[in-house]
Amino acid sequence: MISLQDWQRHLAAQLAAVSDQPTQEARWLMTLALGLRSTELLVNPQQVLTPAEKAQLQTLLDQRLSGVPLAYCLGEWSFYGLDLAVNAAVLIPRPDSELLVSLALLESRVEDGLQLLDLGTGSGALALALARERPQARIFAVEQSPEALAVARLNGKRIGVKNIQWLQGDWYAPLNAGLRFDQIISNPPYLASNDPHLPDLQHEPRTALVAGPTGLECLEQIIFGARSRLHPGGRVLLEHGYEQAAAVSKLLQEHGFQQIQTHCDLAGRERVSSARSPEHA
Ligand SMILES: C[S@@+](CC[C@H](N)C(=O)[O-])C[C@H]1O[C@@H](n2cnc3c(N)ncnc32)[C@H](O)[C@@H]1O
């Protein structure tokens, strides 16, 4: 007879091979597989698992040991205080992208009628964080992958935001011709096709990671289209790789943007660039 406590120890010992927080992960996987609150693991440690529960735990453990990211095993992940559903169709939202949200909020006024655009919304992480903080804004979120957009819509329903329009398509293509924005934000794919980090990211969608031969292709398309989609004086905020800041600034300059700034993450790496469209186009 194997108890909850025994299973938790067994899981933690196995997970140590793939995780730097095996005890915590064991607790998360157990609460998920058994539908328990984490306090129930403490209250009744001698409870014996049914064969079905053991099988469910073993499946999750096998997935995790084969390298599936914890977020996909759990089916949810936290971003900017939101619990988001995730699956293999979407990039796992990164803490790094919270910098983009914080900057977007700093640079956007709290007022009715503000129009914001999130390009490549994935799980909906950026759009949903903005929607919660700016309930009076009208937010448009575009995503090419129908499977990813389904996850974003689901997250919108779960969180209960009403001010996002979810659109499927290629960057600006699904937007009505007359739409103009106060702010365009994006965390687009920015890895080059031969980026050495790709093998470590094999479980996440390649279309969310790889931009093309140089890694700058999506950033360039977004910058190219941004001028005609922003109100005069509107802002574009872009996440990029820590070695791409100079190239992104150059692209912004070439497309007539002003007040170009690069912003560092907590580790001091240049991860976001922002710029303003001219007051008179
Ligand atoms: C790096 S992920 C970012 C996801 C999410 N915004 C986040 O920060 O977690 C980039 C997203 O852009 C989407 N994407 C790639 N090419 C696109 C395109 N041409 N038009 C719209 N979305 C695109 C991908 O499917 C992916 O969901």
Side-chain angles (χ1 to χ4, degrees):
M1 293 290 204
I2 303 180
S3 67
L4 276 181
Q5 193 174 46
D6 296 333
W7 258 97
Q8 199 171 338
R9 288 202 190 113
H10 167 68
L11 283 185
Q14 299 278 308
L15 288 166
V18 292
S19 167
D20 51 10
Q21 43 178 357
T23 308
Q24 179 68 29
E25 276 203 28
R27 208 173 301 130
W28 283 331
L29 291 181
M30 294 210 40
T31 51
L32 173 78
L34 309 178
L36 299 174
R37 281 187 239 280
S38 52
T39 46
E40 289 176 87
L41 295 176
L42 298 173
V43 171
N44 198 4
Q46 298 312 322
Q47 184 185 320
V48 175
L49 272 62
T50 66
E53 287 171 334
K54 277 192 260 183
Q56 165 75 347
L57 266 176
Q58 191 61 52
T59 304
L60 283 172
L61 178 62
D62 291 345
Q63 277 179 9
R64 190 67 188 106
L65 292 179
S66 74
V68 175
L70 179 66
Y72 291 152
C73 294
L74 296 174
E76 59 178 54
W77 205 239
S78 178
F79 178 80
Y80 216 85
L82 301 171
D83 286 330
L84 300 176
V86 292
N87 64 26
V90 299
L91 187 94
I92 300 164
R94 306 292 203 269
D96 289 0
S97 304
E98 295 186 346
L99 172 65
L100 193 56
V101 174
S102 298
L103 289 166
L105 290 172
L106 262 180
E107 295 191 0
S108 68
R109 299 144 290 150
V110 183
E111 61 183 47
D112 287 342
L114 202 63
Q115 299 223 115
L116 312 178
L117 172 63
D118 172 23
L119 290 174
T121 199
S123 62
L126 306 179
L128 288 161
L130 291 177
R132 202 185 47 173
E133 301 293 325
R134 295 282 181 271
Q136 287 132 310
R138 260 183 97 194
I139 300 177
F140 293 76
V142 175
E143 171 57 51
Q144 189 161 52
S145 151
E147 294 81 14
L149 197 65
V151 176
R153 282 185 205 278
L154 171 71
N155 281 322
K157 282 206 186 98
R158 274 171 51 143
I159 292 163
V161 299
K162 305 245 182 295
N163 56 335
I164 302 181
Q165 280 195 38
W166 306 104
L167 301 169
Q168 195 250 316
D170 180 21
W171 302 136
Y172 302 95
L175 299 166
N176 285 343
L179 273 174
R180 295 291 176 272
F181 299 93
D182 299 286
Q183 216 173 52
I184 297 174
I185 66 164
S186 183
N187 171 23
Y190 53 72
L191 297 186
S193 326
N194 63 352
D195 190 290
H197 299 100
L198 282 169
D200 295 337
L201 302 167
Q202 61 178 301
H203 293 279
E204 294 185 82
R206 195 176 160 88
T207 46
L209 297 165
V210 175
T214 70
L216 288 167
E217 290 80 355
C218 295
L219 286 156
E220 191 163 10
Q221 287 167 33
I222 290 170
I223 292 169
F224 176 75
R227 268 290 292 281
S228 61
R229 284 293 182 171
L230 284 168
H231 288 305
R235 292 261 178 196
V236 59
L237 292 108
L238 302 167
E239 183 168 329
H240 49 68
Y242 65 94
E243 288 172 324
Q244 292 174 322
V248 172
S249 291
K250 188 162 171 276
L251 285 169
L252 287 164
Q253 212 167 3
E254 284 167 2
H255 287 85
F257 282 91
Q258 301 174 342
Q259 297 179 19
I260 300 165
Q261 285 180 287
T262 301
H263 310 267
C264 292
D265 65 12
L266 289 176
R269 294 169 307 186
E270 298 180 317
R271 295 299 314 283
V272 172
S273 292
S274 67
R276 187 180 164 94
S277 118
E279 288 292 345
H280 303 289

